C-alpha cells in the first residue's frame, strides 16, 4: 500500500475510538464538570440551594477557623499515616509468611481476606461492640479477673481515632496481603536460589532485592490505600458518629453534614475542594516523577 493510500492517524482504530466516546463524555461531564461546578460554588454563599452569589474566599476563611474542620484534618493525618504504614507492613509480613508454602495456605488466605467482604458499616458495628467497655474486650478480660484492665478507645476522646484505625486495619489488611502475595509469587525462583548460594540472609533478600522488584505492586497498593483514607466516612459513622463530641470527625463527614444537615452548600463545597486539593498535592508530584521526570531509555 502506498503512503497516500494509508489511513491517516485520525482514522486508525476508528471503531475503538467511537466506542470510547461515551466513556470520554462521562468523564468530562460527570468528573471534570462536577469538579469544576463544586469549585465554582465553593466561592458562593449557597445555603439550601446553589446560587451564584460570590463571596470570594469567605467560605475558606470560615472553614479554617472552624475547630471541627481542624480536628477532622488532624484525625485524617493520624489515620492516614498509621493506616498506610501498618497496612503495608502487616500485609507484606502476612504475604511473606504465606509465601513459605505453609500448610492450609488457602484456609489462612481466606480467613485473612474475609473481613474485606464486609461493608464498612458492618465492620464499624462489629468493632463498636468489641470495643464496648461493658460487654466487649474490656468486659471479657475483667470478668476473667483482671479488673484493672482498660481498653475503651471509642469512649476516650484522645485515642478514639486509634479505635477506628483498628477496625480499618482488620478489614483492609487482607486485601493488601493478597496483592503482596501475588507480587511475591511473580518473583523468579532463580533469584531466591542465587541469594541462598551467595549466603545473603533472608531479611536482606527481601529488603534489597525482592521489595525493589515489587515496585509496581507497592504503587498499586499505595493508590488503593490512599483512596480509602481520603474517603473514610461510613466506618466513623458506624463506630462513633464523630464522637465523643467532635473528637473523631473526618473531612468526608464534615462535608456530608454541612451539605445535607446544616444546609450550607457553600461550606460543604469549600471543604470538598480542600479535600480535592490535598489529593492533587500528593498525586501531581508523584505522577510527574513517575511518568514525566523519568527519561525513557
Amino acid at each position: 500500500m502506498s503512503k497516500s493510500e494509508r489511513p491517516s492517524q485520525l482514522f486508525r482504530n476508528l471503531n475503538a475510538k467511537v466506542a470510547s466516546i461515551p466513556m470520554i463524555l462521562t468523564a468530562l461531564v460527570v468528573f471534570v464538570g462536577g469538579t469544576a461546578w463544586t469549585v465554582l460554588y465553593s466561592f458562593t454563599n449557597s445555603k439550601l440551594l446553589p446560587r451564584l452569589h460570590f463571596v470570594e474566599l469567605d467560605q475558606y476563611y470560615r472553614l479554617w477557623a472552624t475547630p471541627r474542620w481542624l480536628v477532622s484534618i488532624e484525625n485524617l493525618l493520624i489515620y492516614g499515616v498509621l493506616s498506610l504504614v501498618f497496612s503495608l507492613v502487616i500485609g507484606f509480613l502476612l504475604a511473606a509468611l504465606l509465601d513459605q508454602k505453609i500448610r492450609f495456605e488457602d484456609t489462612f488466605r481466606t480467613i485473612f481476606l474475609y473481613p474485606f467482604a464486609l461493608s464498612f458499616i458492618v465492620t464499624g458495628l462489629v468493632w463498636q461492640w468489641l470495643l464496648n467497655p461493658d460487654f466487649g474486650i474490656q468486659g471479657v478480660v475483667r470478668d476473667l479477673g483482671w479488673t484493672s484492665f482498660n481498653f475503651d478507645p471509642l469512649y476516650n476522646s484522645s485515642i478514639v481515632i486509634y479505635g477506628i484505625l483498628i477496625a480499618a486495619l482488620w478489614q483492609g489488611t487482607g486485601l493488601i496481603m493478597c496483592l503482596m502475595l501475588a507480587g511475591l509469587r511473580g518473583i523468579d525462583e532463580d533469584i531466591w536460589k542465587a541469594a541462598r548460594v551467595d549466603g545473603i540472609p533472608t531479611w536482606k533478600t527481601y529488603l534489597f532485592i525482592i521489595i525493589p522488584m515489587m515496585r509496581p505492586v507497592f504503587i498499586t497498593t499505595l493508590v488503593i490505600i490512599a483512596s480509602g483514607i481520603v474517603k473514610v466516612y461510613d466506618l466513623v459513622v458506624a463506630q462513633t458518629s464523630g464522637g465523643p463530641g467532635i473528637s473523631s470527625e473526618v473531612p468526608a463527614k464534615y462535608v456530608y453534614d454541612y451539605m445535607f444537615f446544616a444546609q450550607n452548600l457553600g461550606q460543604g463545597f469549600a471543604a470538598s475542594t480542600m479535600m480535592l486539593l490535598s489529593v492533587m498535592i500528593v498525586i501531581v508530584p508523584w505522577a510527574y516523577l513517575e511518568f514525566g521526570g523519568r527519561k525513557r531509555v
Side-chain angles (χ1 to χ4, degrees):
M1 182 182 294
S2 64
K3 186 175 181 181
S4 60
E5 295 176 350
R6 293 178 182 176
S8 66
Q9 189 69 25
L10 179 64
F11 295 102
R12 290 180 181 177
N13 300 320
L14 184 60
N15 291 336
K17 292 178 180 179
V18 172
S20 65
I21 290 177
M23 193 61 215
I24 295 174
L25 292 177
T26 300
L28 290 175
V29 174
V30 177
F31 297 108
V32 179
T35 299
W37 189 84
T38 299
V39 174
L40 175 65
Y41 279 89
S42 69
F43 296 100
T44 69
N45 64 347
S46 301
K47 296 298 183 182
L48 178 61
L49 296 174
R51 58 175 181 172
L52 282 174
H53 186 273
F54 292 100
V55 292
E56 297 181 350
L57 296 175
D58 287 359
Q59 295 289 4
Y60 293 93
Y61 293 140
R62 190 177 299 112
L63 177 68
W64 287 101
T66 304
R68 182 179 175 184
W69 173 254
L70 299 179
V71 170
S72 69
I73 292 296
E74 180 182 357
N75 285 335
L76 186 66
L77 290 174
I78 296 173
Y79 174 87
V81 172
L82 295 181
S83 177
L84 193 65
V85 172
F86 282 108
S87 293
L88 288 175
V89 172
I90 297 174
F92 184 81
L93 290 178
L94 290 176
L97 292 174
L98 291 179
D99 193 43
Q100 305 304 312
K101 308 297 190 297
I102 63 174
R103 295 181 61 186
F104 308 111
E105 177 188 329
D106 293 341
T107 302
F108 284 114
R109 189 167 61 239
T110 302
I111 292 173
F112 291 138
L113 186 60
Y114 177 76
F116 186 73
L118 304 176
S119 68
F120 271 123
I121 293 295
V122 174
T123 299
L125 293 176
V126 168
W127 279 95
Q128 183 190 56
W129 180 84
L130 288 174
L131 298 178
N132 188 289
D134 296 325
F135 48 82
I137 296 175
Q138 175 178 296
V140 171
V141 174
R142 287 187 176 184
D143 290 341
L144 294 175
W146 287 278
T147 56
S148 61
F149 178 78
N150 290 312
F151 188 64
D152 56 346
L154 299 185
Y155 298 84
N156 187 334
S157 60
S158 60
I159 59 173
V160 62
I161 193 65
Y162 301 105
I164 296 172
L165 177 66
I166 292 173
L169 292 175
W170 178 79
Q171 189 198 44
T173 304
L175 175 64
I176 307 305
M177 176 206 69
C178 288
L179 292 173
M180 295 295 177
L181 184 59
L184 289 173
R185 292 289 163 84
I187 301 297
D188 194 339
E189 187 66 26
D190 291 338
I191 294 176
W192 286 105
K193 293 178 181 178
R196 296 189 190 100
V197 170
D198 293 338
I200 302 176
T202 302
W203 69 271
K204 283 189 176 181
T205 304
Y206 275 113
L207 189 60
F208 297 108
I209 300 176
I210 303 301
I211 291 180
M213 294 180 65
M214 293 176 58
R215 184 170 177 269
V217 177
F218 275 94
I219 292 176
T220 301
T221 304
L222 287 173
V223 172
I224 293 174
I225 297 175
S227 64
I229 291 171
V230 174
K231 67 181 183 181
V232 61
Y233 167 79
D234 35 10
L235 187 62
V236 175
V237 172
Q239 282 191 275
T240 64
S241 295
I246 60 172
S247 56
S248 62
E249 285 287 336
V250 289
K253 186 176 183 298
Y254 183 95
V255 172
Y256 185 88
D257 288 349
Y258 267 83
M259 291 183 66
F260 296 100
F261 291 114
Q263 297 179 356
N264 191 338
L265 291 180
Q267 184 69 184
F269 290 149
S272 60
T273 301
M274 294 307 303
M275 292 177 63
L276 174 64
L277 182 61
S278 65
V279 173
M280 296 300 294
I281 290 175
V282 175
I283 290 180
V284 170
W286 168 80
Y288 175 76
L289 292 174
E290 185 69 19
F291 302 108
R294 182 176 56 186
K295 293 183 178 180
R296 296 184 178 180
V297 180

